[in-house]
Amino acid sequence: MAPFYHCQRTSVFPCPRSPVTLPLSFPKKSTRSFENEMDEARHSDIWVGYVDWRNRPAKRGCHGGMIAASFVLVVEILENLAFLANASNLVLYLSKFMHFSPSTSANIVTDFMGTAFLLALLGGFLADAFFTTYCIYLISAAIEFMGLLILTIQAQIPSLKPPPCVSVSTKSPCQEVHGARTAMLFAGLYLVALGVGGIKGSLPPHGAEQFDETTQQGRKQRSAFFNYYVFCLSCGALFATTFVVWIEDNKGWQWGLGISTATILISIPLFLLGSPKYRTKIPAGSPITTIFKVLAAAIWNACKARKPSNTVTNMPVTPSCMNEPIEEDEQTCQTPTESLKFLNLAVTTRPVHPMLQCTVKQVEEVKIVLRILPILMSTIMLNCCLAQLSTFSVQQAATMNTNLGSLKVPPASLPVFPVLFIMILAPIYNHAILPFARKLTNTEMGITHLQRIGTGLVFSIIAMAVAALVEIKRKKVATKHGLLDSTEPLPITFLWVALQYLFLGSADLFTLAGMMEFFFTEAPMSMRSLATALSWTSLAIGYYLSSVLVSIVNGITGAYRHTPWLVGNNLNHYHLERFYWLMCVLSGLNFLYYLLWASRYEYRSMGSEDHSEENQNQILKN
């Protein structure tokens, strides 16, 4: 037992200076001793299972809350600006300045984006298992800064790039970047991808951890945080795809990359400024190890149970669970649930090896993870639809009239439409739609996480249908005016394409925010960062699936009709409307698959959240 002071008066955010006596860790003792310590922690207003930035137990009223989360939201604006400022325009840089072919440039960008989002799993895993979300963000931001610095230096110094392309004739082709210059380019890109992945896997759960989920107000604030997290993503994207892209196109890539480098560098001290207010979850060990241990134990014990001489005894309560730290929203000892009964075999009196000793709590945590995986799978098709925003939709707009009065809008700036719509819809949803839904349903959530995700999936179906109808209209205009083989802009405004952007933007707001909140709240406390990172994994798989789907469609249509739907240099000869209708049908089937699993899903948090505050008060009274 050691006395300490939680906050000092010299801190940026002072809180009462009060000595508290508390063990820095909870050793395994007798049941009564452990309960006394937990009761002491509750009476002394300590956040059980959380520490401050100096690794001291976090204190209620001093750490966490909306102020702490606000720093996370502002940092996310800067981080997404730094990432998207280059990713949105990277294909041009690779083809125009590094002299890669268009197809190679597109593949490099796809691989870069997919890798960045997939690496969010690594960031979430490390935050749960070994480090904290606080540390992972700082490490990842430093890595992204180094990657952007390398790219900026290469863009600034001519000798680090291939010579300018004097002629595009076959006699004097452009020299593609090679050798050490290529190594420098890819080192910078994938350092950025590694940093972005770590940030995406740690920053959202770090912000969500700042709220007290044992109170109704805390849960509502956490829900608002996820809404405004998507809002801040859009703020960064808006600035990136307008101002920074304009700088890159008109002033030079070294200036655009320099802005991104400076932005991510500024985000680090800004994040540190909120340190005195943060509360950070203590890492609980590898969640993946727990999952594999339970699965291995269940399989082994199932094989043993087939032999008459061996029996597996399920234990509703294990003695070891009495010594485990108590999470504020969970009971220490439980009876195994009836769902996924096969995993109950992992709990046995005589494990084949001590490493395969599983508690009921571990088994139930793995069940939760397995139950949310079908929901994750059902969101991949939505993200496959979102991938069309940066591919065929841009090419559609490029064939149309992109003038707005005297202003000529670049087709690559079309993502501004869903970004602006998200920025408008997010506050409306949080301050108007959600309160109305709460009054209408007389429930705390108003709109459940799964209802929100389902709404996004419906919007994606509508978006693909609208995209198909717009493409039919665009080709009719081209046929009517005899411009099927012409490169001239068609006499139809590109704002027709903006319709599908608005529906997909709405789908992104509903589904991304709903997914992140759903995975965070439903996942066990020891796996929350990893579970939240699944949202970005869905996005990455959706991008990869889009490329695979185009290849499959071209392969099948080319074999049976001799003319692939999506091949050639002239978009007017594509059967893009058929591809969009196919996406619409697949999205509809995916929605039915989603309904199958969503209707059977039982919320882990619904039963405990409504009574968690009451139970906590009862504990304090006792």
Side-chain angles (χ1 to χ4, degrees):
M1 308 287 281
F4 61 90
Y5 292 94
H6 275 289
C7 303
Q8 301 182 15
R9 297 188 184 277
T10 55
S11 65
V12 178
F13 299 96
C15 64
R17 182 184 180 93
S18 57
V20 180
T21 301
L22 188 75
L24 298 182
S25 63
F26 293 104
K28 292 185 177 181
K29 301 180 181 179
S30 66
T31 303
R32 181 60 184 167
S33 174
F34 182 81
E35 289 176 349
N36 289 341
E37 290 174 356
M38 292 301 300
D39 188 61
E40 180 182 354
R42 294 182 187 278
H43 279 291
S44 59
D45 288 335
I46 298 300
W47 289 113
V48 179
Y50 292 88
V51 294
D52 67 0
W53 69 294
R54 293 183 178 179
N55 208 33
R56 303 172 303 185
K59 186 177 180 182
R60 298 176 185 271
C62 178
H63 302 102
M66 188 59 76
I67 294 178
S70 297
F71 283 96
V72 173
L73 294 176
V74 175
V75 166
E76 181 53 40
I77 295 176
L78 300 177
E79 184 276 329
N80 207 43
L81 188 159
F83 173 51
L84 287 184
N86 305 300
S88 61
N89 211 23
L90 184 60
V91 67
L92 177 62
Y93 177 69
L94 294 174
S95 58
K96 187 175 181 179
F97 296 97
M98 294 298 170
H99 304 156
F100 287 107
S101 67
S103 59
T104 303
S105 300
N107 288 336
I108 292 173
V109 173
T110 301
D111 293 342
F112 167 72
M113 296 282 285
T115 302
F117 289 125
L118 279 178
L119 284 173
L121 281 177
L122 177 62
F125 167 74
L126 293 176
D128 281 333
F130 306 110
F131 303 96
T132 61
T133 51
Y134 179 88
C135 292
I136 291 296
Y137 172 80
L138 294 176
I139 295 171
S140 301
I143 293 174
E144 184 178 355
F145 169 74
M146 289 189 294
L148 287 170
L149 185 61
I150 291 173
L151 294 176
T152 304
I153 293 173
Q154 186 174 36
Q156 175 65 33
I157 302 176
S159 62
L160 298 177
K161 297 182 292 185
C165 191
V166 178
S167 173
V168 295
S169 65
T170 56
K171 296 181 180 179
S172 179
C174 299
Q175 181 182 343
E176 184 177 300
V177 64
H178 65 280
R181 297 168 181 171
T182 306
M184 185 175 185
L185 172 66
F186 283 97
L189 283 177
Y190 282 92
L191 279 175
V192 172
L194 179 60
V196 168
I199 293 173
K200 299 297 186 188
S202 61
L203 198 59
H206 181 74
E209 286 169 359
Q210 307 306 316
F211 303 103
D212 182 6
E213 64 182 352
T214 64
T215 66
Q216 187 179 81
Q217 181 184 7
R219 294 190 293 273
K220 287 183 177 180
Q221 288 178 335
R222 185 178 62 190
S223 180
F225 165 80
F226 282 110
N227 291 333
Y228 279 104
Y229 180 83
V230 177
F231 175 84
C232 291
L233 280 174
S234 301
C235 289
L238 177 65
F239 195 79
T241 56
T242 53
F243 175 73
V244 181
V245 168
W246 184 87
I247 291 291
E248 290 169 346
D249 289 343
N250 295 276
K251 300 298 181 181
W253 265 83
Q254 66 274 19
W255 289 102
L257 287 166
I259 291 174
S260 296
T261 306
T263 300
I264 197 64
L265 182 62
I266 293 171
S267 73
I268 296 175
L270 185 60
F271 179 80
L272 290 173
L273 190 63
S275 296
K277 291 295 293 180
Y278 296 144
R279 68 168 192 162
T280 308
K281 179 174 65 69
I282 300 172
S286 172
I288 295 180
T289 301
T290 301
I291 294 172
F292 281 110
K293 182 177 75 169
V294 170
L295 292 175
I299 294 172
W300 179 267
N301 292 336
C303 294
K304 286 180 61 180
R306 293 177 181 177
K307 300 179 181 180
S309 58
N310 296 304
T311 57
V312 178
T313 305
N314 289 334
M315 297 177 59
V317 176
T318 59
S320 60
C321 72
M322 299 301 296
N323 296 324
E324 295 179 358
I326 298 176
E327 296 177 5
E328 294 187 17
D329 61 337
E330 295 183 3
Q331 296 179 353
T332 312
C333 295
Q334 310 171 36
T335 300
T337 58
E338 291 300 313
S339 64
L340 299 174
K341 294 178 63 175
F342 170 76
L343 295 179
N344 294 344
L345 297 174
V347 183
T348 179
T349 54
R350 292 188 299 275
V352 66
H353 191 278
M355 291 184 63
L356 293 181
Q357 176 69 57
C358 301
T359 64
V360 176
K361 178 174 176 289
Q362 290 173 329
V363 170
E364 293 303 311
E365 287 179 347
V366 174
K367 288 182 180 181
I368 293 169
V369 173
L370 294 180
R371 283 199 296 265
I372 66 177
L373 287 181
I375 304 298
L376 168 70
M377 299 300 293
S378 65
T379 61
I380 293 175
M381 192 62 208
L382 165 68
N383 290 310
C384 183
C385 295
L386 288 174
Q388 310 312 313
L389 294 181
S390 57
T391 54
F392 291 124
S393 295
V394 174
Q395 295 180 42
Q396 279 180 285
T399 67
M400 304 165 79
N401 181 9
T402 59
N403 291 325
L404 280 179
S406 59
L407 177 65
K408 186 174 179 62
V409 180
S413 295
L414 273 177
V416 168
F417 287 100
V419 164
L420 287 173
F421 194 68
I422 289 174
M423 293 176 65
I424 295 171
L425 183 59
I428 294 176
Y429 177 85
N430 196 66
H431 297 288
I433 298 177
L434 200 54
F436 175 76
R438 285 169 177 161
K439 290 182 180 179
L440 185 65
T441 61
N442 197 28
T443 61
E444 177 186 315
M445 297 179 71
I447 301 175
T448 66
H449 307 141
L450 294 179
Q451 287 172 345
R452 188 170 184 179
I453 295 172
T455 302
L457 296 180
V458 171
F459 275 125
S460 70
I461 299 172
I462 298 173
M464 289 296 96
V466 169
L469 294 174
V470 169
E471 176 62 8
I472 292 173
K473 181 177 180 63
R474 188 192 69 83
K475 291 180 70 174
K476 282 184 178 179
V477 171
T479 303
K480 179 180 179 181
H481 292 83
L483 297 174
L484 281 175
D485 297 312
S486 175
T487 58
E488 296 181 14
L490 300 176
I492 179 175
T493 178
F494 76 108
L495 292 178
W496 283 100
V497 178
L499 289 174
Q500 62 210 54
Y501 276 76
L502 296 182
F503 281 109
L504 284 174
S506 303
D508 194 22
L509 172 65
F510 277 91
T511 303
L512 180 58
M515 271 198 302
M516 296 180 75
E517 187 176 0
F518 173 72
F519 292 146
F520 182 89
T521 55
E522 292 301 301
M525 188 174 180
S526 60
M527 305 181 188
R528 281 182 164 176
S529 298
L530 182 65
T532 307
L534 292 175
S535 304
W536 305 110
T537 304
S538 172
L539 186 61
I541 298 176
Y543 273 94
Y544 288 137
L545 179 61
S546 176
S547 300
V548 173
L549 193 58
V550 169
S551 299
I552 293 175
V553 167
N554 282 335
I556 294 176
T557 56
Y560 288 94
R561 299 181 62 87
H562 307 293
T563 304
W565 285 358
L566 309 171
V567 170
N569 295 322
N570 191 336
L571 192 69
N572 294 331
H573 294 297
Y574 278 35
H575 292 291
L576 188 57
E577 72 285 355
R578 298 178 184 175
F579 178 70
Y580 282 150
W581 284 123
L582 175 64
M583 296 281 286
C584 182
V585 172
L586 292 177
S587 297
L589 295 175
N590 176 72
F591 181 67
L592 296 178
Y593 165 82
Y594 172 79
L595 288 179
L596 172 67
W597 290 100
S599 61
R600 300 168 59 185
Y601 188 86
E602 294 183 5
Y603 283 93
R604 163 184 176 259
S605 54
M606 290 294 286
S608 60
E609 279 185 351
D610 294 339
H611 304 289
S612 56
E613 190 173 7
E614 177 184 344
N615 293 341
Q616 185 179 7
N617 293 335
Q618 187 64 34
I619 292 174
L620 293 177
K621 290 178 182 179
N622 294 335

